Amino acid sequence: MTPVNRISGRAYPLGRDNIDTDVIIAADHLKTTTRSGLGKYAFAPIRAEPGNVFDDPEFANAPILIAGANFGCGSSREHAAWAMDDMGIRAVIAPGFSDIFSSNAYKNGLVTVVLPAADVASLMHLAEHAPVTIDLADMTVTAGNEQFAFTLDPFRRASLMSGLDEIGLTLKSEAAIKAYEERVGV
């Protein structure tokens, strides 16, 4: 996993509530175990709408998505985080996330920032014309002259900032694991 300390750039001002995992990536694209190539299918139902934010050249390759409440609801699919990562999204800002999506996002290095709905609404307007910066060290989101504070589970924050997923965290203890295995005869 790549360390994440700061994410800056344009942000897709989507703002819709209840974007479920079927919208993020349809079930017929879940047959793969590879993470690459899924970005072209991400948000297909929204991309089919004329004038959608994902096809607006002003927001092309935006690393941040601003969404409404209950983002990532629906069935558990790690492919949703994979598809968003493949299309270049590194963080999502919303008033709330489904627990399963939030967990899958974290495990794949995708930052989820929870802000109050009023702050998300302000950020939506700011993002239409200003770049957005998410700073994990300061735990702030900045756009234009506005700054919003957020909280993040300290363990998840440290893991994201150091670029260590569950496998990476385990490998940090490889010498201790090997010593234990030798001691007990495994």
Side-chain angles (χ1 to χ4, degrees):
M1 191 164 77
T2 304
V4 179
N5 292 293
R6 175 180 259 198
I7 302 166
S8 293
R10 295 306 304 267
Y12 295 109
L14 182 62
R16 296 185 190 185
D17 293 339
N18 302 311
I19 296 292
D20 67 29
T21 53
D22 289 325
V23 171
I24 299 170
I25 186 79
D28 46 330
H29 301 293
L30 304 182
K31 297 173 184 124
T32 182
T33 57
T34 181
R35 298 173 187 218
S36 62
L38 293 174
K40 62 186 170 196
Y41 305 114
F43 302 101
I46 296 172
R47 286 180 161 174
E49 300 169 3
N52 75 80
V53 70
F54 294 111
D55 292 334
D56 185 334
E58 190 172 338
F59 301 104
N61 303 312
I64 301 168
L65 173 69
I66 304 170
N70 199 29
F71 187 85
C73 57
S75 59
S76 171
R77 38 183 86 152
E78 196 168 20
H79 291 69
W82 294 355
M84 292 175 66
D85 180 64
D86 193 55
M87 72 179 282
I89 295 174
R90 303 288 174 255
V92 182
I93 302 168
F97 297 90
S98 86
D99 289 340
I100 293 172
F101 176 83
S102 183
S103 178
N104 284 336
Y106 154 70
K107 290 176 182 180
N108 287 282
L110 182 67
V111 178
T112 54
V113 174
V114 176
L115 290 175
D119 290 352
V120 171
S122 294
L123 198 52
M124 285 279 298
H125 293 294
L126 292 165
E128 290 178 9
H129 305 289
V132 175
T133 297
I134 299 170
D135 190 318
L136 290 180
D138 294 340
M139 306 243 305
T140 58
V141 175
T142 307
N145 294 324
E146 298 286 328
Q147 191 171 72
F148 308 92
F150 66 93
T151 60
L152 193 59
D153 174 80
F155 178 78
R156 285 187 176 186
R157 178 176 170 241
S159 295
L160 288 165
M161 291 179 72
S162 63
L164 293 173
D165 58 11
E166 292 168 335
I167 294 170
L169 287 167
T170 302
L171 290 175
K172 275 182 67 175
S173 301
E174 188 172 19
I177 293 167
K178 186 175 182 175
Y180 170 79
E181 289 175 340
E182 288 173 0
R183 194 172 62 247
V184 298
V186 175

